[in-house]
């Protein structure tokens, strides 16, 4: 049973990754609380090659005056008094939250002090930053003596703390600082501390490279660069590339695609600042990534919550340019994406009726996405075969969202197939490592079709065929489950998740959902030889079992309707028409059985007619 999430903190959108623990820095430092004066960097014959990669926004949250007053804060929480001068109580955990401790031990909150010195030459700000850094080194050596949360925060914060020390190194020097940078970098360099080809590993690698360049350690800088190139071109462990040759990210999350776009651009800047070649192929992939992200936005200007993603606007993406500027301005500026619909081998089918500029305004276009490919990885969810759908200026089908990383029960449910608009088989185990195959597709204006198949639910083969139609805008979905179970087979449900603005009611074997002037009809189309299905159900805001929730942001759960269309049998076939309309008239549907066991359907709604066939072998084809 789930309860409403409350009170937990999660800062700056970072995932919790439990790294092995530091065994001790072994660094020489001044006594705790002693503000060691900073020694300004002397003139160098060669330019400083370290790159300050920033502070994840903690510098803005913790300006110099606040840090001098001994206060520290993370997003979404009140400031906490943590220090007197440069003496800090590193054992604090006021919110009983691992992420608060992580950012506390990251030292990134010293960025405001470092920035103040860079802007104004305020030596007191630099001395305070230096004193707190030295206090951390004195107070956190041999972390094995601490509790588990503090040990985890020290380990997880290593890369961020190293980045802060590298930023400090631009303006201050001393053997203690170079030794601290080298010790942190050596810890990151150990193979068991490399997270792999996703955002944690990207940060670790570029920070390692920046640190090596800052203290003249070519071996460390080279290892960081090699790991970056490996993640992009030859990822370890059978993972997909961090960004592949089509521009698709591997983290299975729209939010993290945007995040990684920025991190990889920064990684290239670190390479160049380090005087090392930055392969042109990486820049090409990042340019293609802009269109990959553009496809994960809606005509309404929202970034879809695919994978672990918070609700966001396309217009909030930094330095958009090209296709991202086009979607951020709804066609006003930038470059129109080169494709209307695309398959990405990383596991996406995405398309729309158009990008505006023709007979339809940008905001009036229809869009859809679907997921397939390898099993869950990094920030992905168990969303294979999930459909999203935007039409008539509204989101119609949406993912359920992302709660953050502190509430394990909610996070587990949001990752489950039940939290997505997909086909669920009850009573059998689900394998999240199972791949889903795209078995066919065809993109034709007004009639994009594609088909999936997998064995993710034990003992069954699950199939889904989709017709994404425009003029009139609609989805047609033909689902199938073949079960090896004897007798009556397993219960099966089509689940259709709607935004919270909708209300929905069952309507016989289907349902009707309403939001403003838009009504969405979920119509079960009878198939030859298939018995009449059970009545539809609508669930909203259930906690036991969990169902019917949208989570737009951290710790925010909102009740929203889910339409459930059930079936049961050893060989299930379900044909559903999802038809959004702006009028109150009911769609008019006529069917005719085909000789091969399929069905021909003529549906009239929105003052237009959609005619299609569903064949006995599971194919969908629009006739007009």
């Amino acid at each position: 049973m789930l309860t409403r999430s409350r009170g937990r903190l999660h800062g700056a959108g970072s995932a919790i990754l439990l790294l092995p623990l530091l065994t001790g820095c072994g660094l020489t430092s001044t006594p705790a609380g002693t503000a060691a004066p900073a020694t300004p960097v002397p003139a160098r014959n060669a330019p400083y090659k370290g790159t300050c990669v920033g502070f994840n926004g903690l510098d803005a949250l913790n300006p110099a005056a606040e840090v001098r007053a001994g206060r520290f804060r993370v997003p979404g929480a009140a400031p906490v008094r943590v220090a007197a001068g440069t003496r800090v109580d590193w054992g604090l955990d006021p919110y009983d939250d691992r992420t608060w401790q992580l950012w506390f031990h990251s030292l990134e909150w010293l960025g405001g002090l470092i920035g103040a010195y860079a802007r104004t030459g305020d030596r007191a700000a630099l001395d305070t930053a230096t004193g707190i850094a030295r206090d951390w080194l004195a107070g956190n050596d041999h972390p094995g003596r601490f509790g588990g949360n503090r040990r985890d925060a020290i380990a997880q914060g290593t890369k961020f703390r190293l980045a802060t020390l590298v930023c400090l190194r631009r303006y201050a020097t001393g053997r203690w600082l170079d030794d601290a940078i080298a010790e942190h970098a050596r810890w990151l360099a150990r193979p068991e501390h490399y997270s792999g080809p996703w955002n944690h590993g990207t940060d670790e690698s570029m920070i390692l490279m920046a640190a090596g360049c800052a203290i003249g350690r070519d071996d460390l800088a080279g290892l960081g660069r090699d790991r970056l190139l490996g993640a992009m071109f030859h990822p370890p462990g059978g993972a997909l590339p961090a960004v592949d040759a089509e521009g698709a990210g591997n983290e299975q999350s729209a939010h993290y695609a945007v995040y990684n776009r920025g991190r990889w651009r920064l990684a290239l800047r670190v390479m160049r600042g380090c005087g090392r070649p930055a392969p042109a192929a990486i820049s090409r992939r990042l340019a293609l990534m802009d269109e990959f992200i553009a496809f994960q936005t809606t005509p309404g200007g929202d970034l879809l919550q695919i994978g672990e993603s918070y609700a966001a606007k396309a217009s909030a993406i930094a330095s958009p340019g090209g296709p991202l500027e086009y979607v951020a301005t709804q066609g006003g500026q930038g470059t129109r994406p080169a494709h209307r619909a695309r398959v990405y081998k990383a596991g996406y089918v995405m398309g729309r009726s158009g990008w505006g500029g023709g007979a339809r305004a940008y905001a009036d276009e229809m869009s859809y996405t679907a997921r397939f490919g390898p099993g869950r990885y990094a920030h992905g969810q168990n969303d294979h075969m999930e459909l999203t759908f935007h039409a008539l200026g509204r989101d119609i089908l949406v993912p359920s969202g992302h709660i953050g990383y502190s509430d394990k029960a909610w996070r587990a449910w949001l990752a489950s197939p039940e939290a997505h608009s997909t086909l669920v088989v009850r009573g059998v185990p689900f394998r999240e490592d199972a791949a889903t195959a795209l078995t066919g597709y065809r993109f034709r204006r007004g009639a994009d079709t594609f088909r999936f198949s997998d064995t993710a639910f034990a003992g069954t083969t699950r199939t889904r065929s989709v017709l994404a139609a425009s003029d009139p805008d609609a989805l047609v979905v033909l689902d199938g489950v073949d079960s090896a179970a004897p007798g009556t087979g397993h219960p099966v449900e089509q689940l259709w998740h709607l935004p919270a603005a909708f209300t929905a009611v069952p309507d016989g074997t289907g349902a009707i959902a309403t939001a403003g002037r838009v009504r969405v009809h979920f119509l079960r189309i009878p198939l030859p030889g298939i018995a009449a299905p059970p009545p539809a159900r609508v669930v909203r805001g259930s906690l036991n079992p969990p169902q019917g929730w949208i989570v737009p942001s951290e710790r925010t759960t909102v009740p929203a309707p889910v339409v459930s269309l059930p079936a049961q049998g050893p060989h299930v076939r379900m044909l559903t028409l999802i038809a959004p309309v702006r009028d109150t008239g009911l769609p008019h549907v006529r069917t005719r059985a085909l000789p091969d066991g399929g069905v021909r359907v003529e549906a009239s709604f929105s003052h237009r007619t959609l005619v299609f066939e569903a064949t006995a072998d599971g194919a969908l084809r629009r006739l007009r």
Side-chain angles (χ1 to χ4, degrees):
M1 177 176 177
L2 293 178
T3 56
R4 295 295 296 272
S5 178
R6 62 178 188 169
R8 290 289 184 164
L9 301 176
H10 175 69
S14 288
I16 293 297
L17 178 67
L18 297 180
L19 297 176
L21 303 179
L22 286 168
T23 57
C25 294
L27 301 174
T28 303
S29 57
T30 56
T34 303
T39 304
V41 175
R44 297 183 177 90
N45 294 326
Y48 174 71
K49 290 187 176 181
T51 301
C52 180
V53 302
F55 306 99
N56 281 302
L58 287 180
D59 51 337
L61 278 173
N62 295 274
E66 284 293 290
V67 179
R68 282 177 168 172
R71 290 187 286 269
F72 163 69
R73 67 175 297 192
V74 300
V80 175
R81 187 172 183 84
V82 299
T86 60
R87 184 168 184 172
V88 181
D89 183 353
W90 298 108
L92 287 173
D93 184 13
Y95 295 103
D96 186 26
D97 185 84
R98 292 184 306 166
T99 306
W100 188 94
Q101 286 189 295
L102 165 64
W103 290 128
F104 185 40
H105 285 274
S106 76
L107 298 186
E108 290 193 312
W109 50 284
L110 303 184
L113 293 166
I114 297 170
Y117 175 76
R119 291 189 305 273
T120 68
D122 180 358
R123 282 291 304 277
L126 185 63
D127 288 347
T128 303
T130 302
I132 291 176
R134 298 192 77 161
D135 189 73
W136 187 92
L137 295 169
N140 291 283
D141 59 344
H142 306 296
R145 68 186 191 273
F146 303 135
N149 282 358
R150 182 170 174 180
R151 295 198 311 270
D152 290 345
I154 290 170
Q156 295 161 30
T158 301
K159 61 187 174 186
F160 303 117
R161 196 164 52 249
L162 176 56
T164 302
L165 296 175
V166 170
C167 293
L168 182 63
R169 179 65 175 78
R170 185 174 187 88
Y171 304 107
T173 190
R175 177 64 181 271
W176 71 271
L177 182 53
D178 282 5
D179 285 350
I181 291 172
E183 190 68 25
H184 279 69
R186 283 195 293 269
W187 189 89
L188 276 186
R190 287 161 57 180
E192 65 268 28
H193 296 158
Y194 174 51
S195 298
W198 60 309
N199 73 81
H200 284 237
T202 301
D203 281 346
E204 293 159 4
S205 300
M206 73 172 172
I207 292 167
L208 181 60
M209 181 167 53
C213 287
I215 61 174
R217 286 287 301 272
D218 287 346
D219 57 332
L220 297 172
L223 177 59
R225 181 178 182 275
D226 288 346
R227 285 179 176 175
L228 286 170
L229 298 186
M232 186 66 77
F233 301 116
H234 305 289
L240 295 177
V243 183
D244 68 17
E246 296 180 317
N250 69 355
E251 296 206 34
Q252 302 175 354
S253 158
H255 170 88
Y256 280 93
V258 173
Y259 178 76
N260 284 318
R261 172 184 180 266
R263 301 311 280 176
W264 274 97
R265 290 183 171 205
L266 180 57
L268 289 178
R269 184 159 67 83
V270 173
M271 282 188 199
R272 295 181 184 117
C274 210
R276 294 169 184 268
I282 296 181
S283 296
R284 287 195 294 270
R285 291 187 180 198
L286 293 181
L288 292 171
M289 195 177 201
D290 284 2
E291 183 165 301
F292 171 69
I293 296 171
F295 269 112
Q296 295 176 78
T297 67
T298 72
D302 297 307
L303 185 69
L304 288 164
Q305 290 186 260
I306 295 173
E308 292 184 335
S309 300
Y310 300 118
K313 293 290 185 182
S315 56
I317 298 174
S319 306
L324 281 183
E325 184 176 17
Y326 189 87
V327 299
T329 62
Q330 295 191 298
Q333 300 176 45
T335 306
R336 181 194 301 264
H339 304 88
R340 184 189 60 77
R342 281 208 59 175
V343 168
Y344 285 92
K345 295 176 183 177
Y348 300 80
V349 181
M350 300 186 285
R352 55 181 63 206
S353 53
W355 296 99
R360 299 174 73 158
Y362 184 96
D364 293 334
E365 300 281 11
M366 175 276 290
S367 69
Y368 67 87
T369 70
R371 286 274 292 118
F372 69 99
R376 183 182 177 195
Y377 177 75
H379 291 287
Q381 295 175 331
N382 296 311
D383 56 0
H384 283 183
M385 301 192 189
E386 176 187 45
L387 295 170
T388 72
F389 183 38
H390 181 100
L392 305 188
R394 277 194 175 273
D395 290 337
I396 306 296
L397 301 178
V398 294
S400 291
H402 179 41
I403 194 73
Y405 302 95
S406 294
D407 195 317
K408 293 181 180 179
W410 272 105
R411 189 182 180 204
W413 179 74
L414 289 165
S416 71
E418 285 81 1
H420 299 88
S421 294
T422 189
L423 182 67
V424 174
V425 183
R426 300 294 185 191
V428 296
F430 176 82
R431 297 185 299 114
E432 69 175 30
D433 62 342
T436 298
L438 174 68
T439 58
Y441 70 92
R442 182 184 182 188
F443 298 143
R444 187 163 56 94
R445 185 163 294 280
D448 294 343
T449 55
F450 43 93
R451 302 174 67 180
F452 302 124
S453 178
D454 68 22
T455 55
F457 288 91
T460 69
T461 297
R462 180 177 63 155
T463 60
R464 168 163 282 186
S465 295
V466 180
L467 164 62
S470 57
D471 298 321
D473 300 340
L475 290 180
V476 181
V477 183
L478 178 59
D479 282 338
V481 174
D482 291 315
S483 173
T488 59
H490 297 288
V492 171
E493 282 184 277
Q494 280 184 344
L495 297 174
W496 304 114
H497 289 258
L498 292 127
F502 277 88
T503 58
V505 294
D507 183 36
T509 61
I512 301 173
T514 305
R517 295 180 55 226
V518 173
R519 292 163 63 93
V520 183
H521 297 268
F522 294 84
L523 302 168
R524 290 284 293 270
I525 308 297
L527 290 169
I530 303 295
R537 294 188 309 126
V538 173
V539 181
R540 185 184 190 114
S542 170
L543 288 171
N544 189 20
Q547 188 54 278
W549 298 94
I550 295 295
V551 183
S553 60
E554 187 179 8
R555 308 187 311 277
T556 304
T557 54
V558 181
V562 176
V563 172
S564 169
L565 306 183
Q568 184 163 347
H571 305 289
V572 171
R573 294 180 72 223
M574 306 171 65
L575 180 61
T576 303
L577 170 64
I578 303 173
V581 300
R582 280 202 179 96
D583 52 55
T584 57
L586 295 175
H588 181 67
V589 178
R590 293 189 299 175
T591 64
R592 176 167 60 84
L594 299 175
D596 67 352
V599 65
R600 182 183 188 273
V601 180
E602 182 175 318
S604 298
F605 56 96
S606 294
H607 310 293
R608 294 179 175 86
T609 300
L610 172 65
V611 182
F612 62 92
E613 286 183 350
T615 65
D617 64 358
L620 292 171
R621 180 171 67 253
R622 181 172 184 174
L623 304 179
R624 64 181 172 89

